[in-house]
Amino acid sequence: MLVGDGPLVRIEVRDSGSGNPAVRDAAVDDCGGRGLRLVMALADDFGVTPHRPGKSVWTVFTMDRAEVKGGEEGRGGVVEHARTH
């Protein structure tokens, strides 16, 4: 799910698996293991919401007002370019 509310963009992924995401040390040739590190480096907030069964893993990005165009104070606006750190 992708939700934009003014200057906030929230991305949420739900699965039925047990357990929570954990930071891993991925080898150079590993196909996975980097997701949470990327989220921690780029997102303004993130977390896990438990469900029965499973969980939702979500992240929030705060866009600068200059990056959001259209709509009342950015509501329903379109992102003009990606935020950079």
Side-chain angles (χ1 to χ4, degrees):
M1 172 178 17
L2 175 64
V3 177
D5 184 13
L8 299 179
V9 175
R10 178 181 169 117
I11 301 169
E12 185 173 321
V13 178
R14 187 169 180 169
D15 68 35
S16 60
S18 61
N20 287 323
V23 176
R24 298 189 322 187
D25 290 322
V28 174
D29 59 348
D30 284 348
C31 292
R34 295 172 187 84
L36 192 53
R37 285 194 191 279
L38 289 170
V39 168
M40 291 170 63
L42 299 173
D44 294 299
D45 196 10
F46 68 95
V48 177
T49 303
H51 301 283
R52 289 189 183 246
K55 64 194 167 291
S56 293
V57 180
W58 53 268
T59 185
V60 174
F61 298 91
T62 303
M63 307 302 290
D64 291 334
R65 289 241 183 247
E67 295 176 328
V68 179
K69 174 178 138 178
E72 180 182 309
E73 293 186 13
R75 281 192 184 274
V78 176
V79 176
E80 285 202 356
H81 54 83
R83 190 171 76 109
T84 59
H85 285 272

